[in-house]
């Protein structure tokens, strides 16, 4: 059963009323205490670890995380929130506030060599997918992510082969993470109230990915082309691949021959393919 939160929100608001959310930044601040508690239970912060929080906003989750985590690094893009967050949490010696854009942040740069970090975030809907891809790129120092995302995004992330929701993001996340959809959160848990539901997902980074994905650049180029036109077959999409990939396909006999060698029926559509089948296509081209 998925947790949907209470019907009535109980506000954790501690910021001055004059601070308004910015639509341009996709800000919807979490204000429901019971939902916050549920997220903290899912994260279960430890005194011996480092946690990075992306987009602390008004500090609702930050307040709980800083009490339990050994070290908390909060990354905030909105300059209007920086001074307020700094003043509110300045007494906590385990707290570090960083003004920055998560899409350009070197998360591993905050850590010593071989250190691991967990990431917690209520991601803005308008950049959530891009930030998730950025985090996966820096997976060498990240062990786990607990993220609040638009429910439709989580449905795409966790979509299995054959599902109409399956797309490039589904395959990417499956390759690098074990995904667990934890619970849903109703619009009433936020201020301002969004028009959509949210979901909290746990993404545990897989080990030894390099052994399974020998040529990731080629693999993701193929997957991207495969999903370029969802109504077309995998054969037709590969036949319309960009020049560089198209030349590689021709050198190996063309899209039809490659699919045959990979054991993939050419009339199938991209959403039906498993990660192993995508990898088989890439292996034929190596």
């Amino acid at each position: 059963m998925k947790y949907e939160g209470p019907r009535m929100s109980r506000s954790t608001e501690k910021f001055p009323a004059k601070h308004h959310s910015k639509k341009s930044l996709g800000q919807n601040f979490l204000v429901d205490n019971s939902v916050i508690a549920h997220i903290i239970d899912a994260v279960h912060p430890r005194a011996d670890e480092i946690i990075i929080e992306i987009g602390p906003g008004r500090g609702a989750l930050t307040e709980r995380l800083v009490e339990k985590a050994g070290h908390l690094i909060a990354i905030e893009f909105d300059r209007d929130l920086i001074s307020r967050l700094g003043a509110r949490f300045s007494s906590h010696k385990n707290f570090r506030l960083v003004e920055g854009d998560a899409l350009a942040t070197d998360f591993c740069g905050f850590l010593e060599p071989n250190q691991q970090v967990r990431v917690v975030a209520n991601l803005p809907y308008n950049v959530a997918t891009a930030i998730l891809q950025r985090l996966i790129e820096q997976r060498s120092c990240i062990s786990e992510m607990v993220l609040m995302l638009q429910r439709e995004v989580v449905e795409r992330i966790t979509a299995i082969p054959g599902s109409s929701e399956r797309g490039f993001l589904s395959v990417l996340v499956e390759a690098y993470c074990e995904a667990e959809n934890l619970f849903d959160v109703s619009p009433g848990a936020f201020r301002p109230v969004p028009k959509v539901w949210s979901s909290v997902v746990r993404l545990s980074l897989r080990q030894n990915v390099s052994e399974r994905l020998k040529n990731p650049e080629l693999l993701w180029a193929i997957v991207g082309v495969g999903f370029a036109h969802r109504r077309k077959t995998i054969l037709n999409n590969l036949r319309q691949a960009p020049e560089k990939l198209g030349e590689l396909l021709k050198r190996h006999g063309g899209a039809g021959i490659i699919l045959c060698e990979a054991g993939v029926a050419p009339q199938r559509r991209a959403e039906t393919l498993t990660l192993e089948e995508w990898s088989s296509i890439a292996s034929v081209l190596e």
Side-chain angles (χ1 to χ4, degrees):
M1 180 179 294
K2 292 184 176 180
Y3 177 84
E4 298 182 353
R7 295 179 180 275
M8 298 297 292
S9 295
R10 289 168 289 175
S11 177
T12 63
E13 187 61 72
K14 293 186 179 181
F15 273 63
K18 65 180 181 180
H19 181 272
H20 300 290
S21 64
K22 297 178 180 178
K23 188 175 181 180
S24 63
L25 297 181
Q27 291 177 336
N28 296 95
F29 299 112
L30 182 61
V31 298
D32 191 296
N33 275 321
S34 61
V35 175
I36 292 167
H38 210 46
I39 293 172
I40 295 299
D41 286 344
V43 176
H44 193 63
R46 303 187 308 269
D48 63 347
E49 71 172 332
I50 302 170
I51 289 179
I52 291 178
E53 182 186 11
I54 298 174
R58 296 172 177 171
L61 272 174
T62 313
E63 184 176 43
R64 307 291 182 88
L65 290 170
V66 77
E67 293 174 352
K68 297 176 179 290
H71 297 278
L72 177 63
I73 302 170
I75 302 170
E76 177 56 56
F77 181 74
D78 187 349
R79 289 185 175 182
D80 291 341
L81 291 170
I82 292 293
S83 60
R84 294 175 170 85
L85 287 165
R88 181 174 176 183
F89 298 108
S90 61
S91 61
H92 295 272
K93 295 182 179 180
N94 64 333
F95 178 74
R96 177 181 176 185
L97 180 61
V98 177
E99 180 180 349
D101 182 353
L103 290 173
T105 297
D106 177 8
F107 299 100
C108 298
F110 297 123
L111 309 174
E112 298 294 331
N114 301 319
Q115 274 189 320
Q116 293 281 294
V117 69
R118 291 199 295 157
V119 175
V120 180
N122 171 20
L123 294 179
Y125 297 150
N126 57 350
V127 291
T129 299
I131 292 177
L132 174 55
Q133 289 179 287
R134 173 73 175 174
L135 289 166
I136 290 175
E137 288 173 2
Q138 299 196 43
R139 60 191 175 276
S140 62
C141 66
I142 299 173
S143 61
E144 181 183 272
M145 298 176 275
V146 177
L147 309 176
M148 176 107 69
L149 302 164
Q150 186 174 339
R151 185 163 66 178
E152 291 180 359
V153 174
V154 173
E155 290 172 349
R156 292 204 301 271
I157 286 173
T158 57
I160 62 174
S163 168
S164 61
E165 303 298 326
R166 190 167 173 87
F168 179 90
L169 188 62
S170 316
V171 184
L172 179 71
V173 171
E174 181 184 352
Y176 296 110
C177 307
E178 293 182 12
E180 180 185 3
N181 189 351
L182 298 178
F183 54 89
D184 293 339
V185 181
S186 68
F190 301 90
R191 293 293 182 272
V193 178
K195 296 180 180 179
V196 298
W197 279 66
S198 299
S199 294
V200 176
V201 63
R202 187 195 312 278
L203 302 177
S204 302
L205 277 296
R206 298 185 188 276
Q207 302 297 316
N208 303 319
V209 171
S210 59
E211 297 177 6
R212 298 166 56 245
L213 306 180
K214 296 179 180 179
N215 191 337
E217 183 178 356
L218 175 59
L219 173 63
W220 301 125
I222 293 169
V223 176
V225 168
F227 282 103
H229 303 283
R230 296 187 65 90
R231 294 186 178 182
K232 292 187 177 181
T233 64
I234 184 66
L235 175 64
N236 286 336
N237 276 332
L238 288 180
R239 282 176 171 172
Q240 297 179 20
E243 183 177 357
K244 184 178 179 180
L245 180 57
E247 289 299 322
L248 181 61
L249 290 165
K250 289 179 182 178
R251 289 201 300 271
H252 285 78
I257 296 296
I258 291 161
L259 290 172
C260 182
E261 291 184 16
V264 177
Q267 298 308 311
R268 291 173 61 187
R269 287 184 167 80
E271 66 266 21
T272 70
L273 270 65
T274 64
L275 173 60
E276 289 71 24
E277 288 174 319
W278 287 113
S279 298
S280 294
I281 297 171
S283 295
V284 173
L285 295 173
E286 290 176 353

